[in-house]
C-alpha cells in the first residue's frame, strides 16, 4: 500500500502498483505464495487485474487458487481458469447460474457452492481443511481482507508500504468493507518485524485473538 493506505488508485487498477516493484520485491511475494497451500482473492481482483496467482520468480509449488465469487462471474478466459499450471477452486453461492457452474467444471475447475447467498467463510475454511490445506494466503482485495478480519480468521498480517502518496477518496484501502464501529471491536496487532527492502517497508504483524 502507499503511505496513505491505498492499494490502488481511484480507478481500482491494482496493476499500477507493479511498476514500483523490483525483481526482489516480486521474489518476496512469490516466496510467500510458495510457502502456503492456498491463495485467496475475490472476484473483483480477478476482473480488474486478471492475476495468474502462480509461483514464477522462485522455486516452489503452485498453491491452490481460491476465488471468492458469489455469482460465478469468473471469465472462462481468465488466467486462473487455466488449470494446466495450478489447480483452481471457485467458491460461489446459490446465486450462481447452474449453467456457468457446469462450464467452470468443464474447464477442470473445482466449484464449492455455499448455501448462503453471501458466502460462508467458516464453511469454506472447513472445506479447504478437509482438502489438506493448512496455510492460506489472502492476497486481496480490500473487501475480502475485511471479510476475513470480520470472521476472526486472520492470524498474521504483512504490509508492504511504498514511499509515495496516492490519494483519492474512492481509492481502495488495505482493508475496506463495513469496518468496525467501536474501539473494543477492532483487531489488536503485535509487530514482529520491520525491514526495509529496496525502498519498500515490510512489516509483519500477528493478530491477537
Amino acid at each position: 500500500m502507499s503511505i496513505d493506505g491505498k492499494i490502488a488508485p481511484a480507478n481500482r487498477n491494482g496493476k499500477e502498483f507493479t511498476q514500483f516493484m523490483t525483481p526482489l520485491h516480486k521474489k518476496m511475494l512469490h516466496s510467500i505464495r510458495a510457502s502456503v497451500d492456498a491463495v485467496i482473492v475475490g472476484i473483483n481482483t480477478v476482473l480488474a487485474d486478471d492475476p495468474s496467482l502462480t509461483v514464477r520468480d522462485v522455486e516452489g509449488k503452485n498453491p491452490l487458487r481460491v476465488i471468492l465469487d458469489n455469482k460465478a462471474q469468473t471469465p472462462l478466459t481468465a488466467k486462473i481458469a487455466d488449470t494446466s499450471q495450478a489447480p483452481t477452486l471457485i467458491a460461489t453461492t446459490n446465486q450462481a447460474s447452474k449453467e456457468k457452474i457446469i462450464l467452470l467444471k468443464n474447464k477442470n475447475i473445482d466449484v464449492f457452492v455455499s448455501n448462503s447467498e453471501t458466502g460462508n467463510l467458516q464453511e469454506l475454511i472447513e472445506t479447504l481443511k478437509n482438502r489438506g490445506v493448512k496455510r492460506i494466503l489472502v492476497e486481496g482485495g480490500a473487501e475480502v481482507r475485511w471479510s476475513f478480519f470480520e470472521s476472526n480468521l486472520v492470524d498474521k498480517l504483512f504490509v508492504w508500504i511504498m514511499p509515495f502518496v496516492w490519494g483519492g477518496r474512492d481509492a481502495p484501502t488495505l482493508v475496506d468493507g463495513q469496518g468496525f464501529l467501536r474501539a473494543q471491536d477492532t483487531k489488536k496487532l503485535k509487530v514482529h518485524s520491520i525491514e526495509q527492502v529496496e525502498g519498500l517497508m515490510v512489516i509483519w504483524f500477528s493478530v491477537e485473538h
Side-chain angles (χ1 to χ4, degrees), residues 118-187:
T118 57
N120 187 316
L121 285 182
Q122 294 285 358
E123 188 181 6
L124 173 61
I125 294 301
E126 285 301 314
T127 297
L128 294 176
K129 183 178 178 180
N130 291 336
R131 293 175 59 119
V133 171
K134 297 180 180 179
R135 289 172 56 85
I136 298 173
L137 169 64
V138 181
E139 283 202 23
E143 298 285 340
V144 172
R145 294 191 190 103
W146 160 250
S147 66
F148 274 82
F149 273 108
E150 183 184 32
S151 300
N152 202 32
L153 290 171
V154 182
D155 296 312
K156 294 181 180 179
L157 172 70
F158 69 93
V159 180
W160 294 7
I161 301 178
M162 296 183 173
F164 55 83
V165 171
W166 205 283
R169 65 174 58 88
D170 297 323
T173 65
L174 183 67
V175 180
D176 283 343
Q178 178 181 345
F180 298 112
L181 302 180
R182 302 183 305 171
Q184 59 263 40
D185 295 331
T186 60
K187 298 301 179 184

Side-chain angles (χ1 to χ4, degrees), residues 187-204:
K187 298 301 179 184
K188 186 177 181 181
L189 309 179
K190 180 180 180 181
V191 177
H192 273 269
S193 67
I194 301 176
E195 181 182 10
Q196 184 170 329
V197 182
E198 295 187 350
L200 186 76
M201 188 69 72
V202 182
I203 309 177
W204 282 87

Side-chain angles (χ1 to χ4, degrees), residues 2-3 17 41 43 54 92 113-114 123 126 136 144 149 182:
S2 59
I3 286 291
F17 268 70
V41 299
I43 181 58
T54 54
T92 189
V113 182
S114 171
E123 188 181 6
E126 285 301 314
I136 298 173
V144 172
F149 273 108
R182 302 183 305 171

Side-chain angles (χ1 to χ4, degrees), residues 15-32:
K15 287 187 175 182
E16 289 293 334
F17 268 70
T18 60
Q19 65 179 300
F20 299 104
M21 294 181 68
T22 69
L24 180 56
H25 297 158
K26 293 177 181 178
K27 283 185 177 181
M28 290 168 57
L29 172 60
H30 288 204
S31 293
I32 296 172

Side-chain angles (χ1 to χ4, degrees), residues 39-51 53 65-71 73-75 78 80 89-91 121 124 137-145 147-148:
V39 56
I40 294 180
V41 299
I43 181 58
N44 290 336
T45 296
V46 172
L47 295 177
D49 301 337
D50 191 21
L53 303 177
R65 301 171 298 187
V66 180
I67 313 303
L68 304 185
D69 183 3
N70 289 349
K71 297 180 181 179
Q73 297 174 278
T74 299
I80 58 91
L89 183 148
I90 303 292
L121 285 182
L124 173 61
L137 169 64
V138 181
E139 283 202 23
E143 298 285 340
V144 172
R145 294 191 190 103
S147 66
F148 274 82

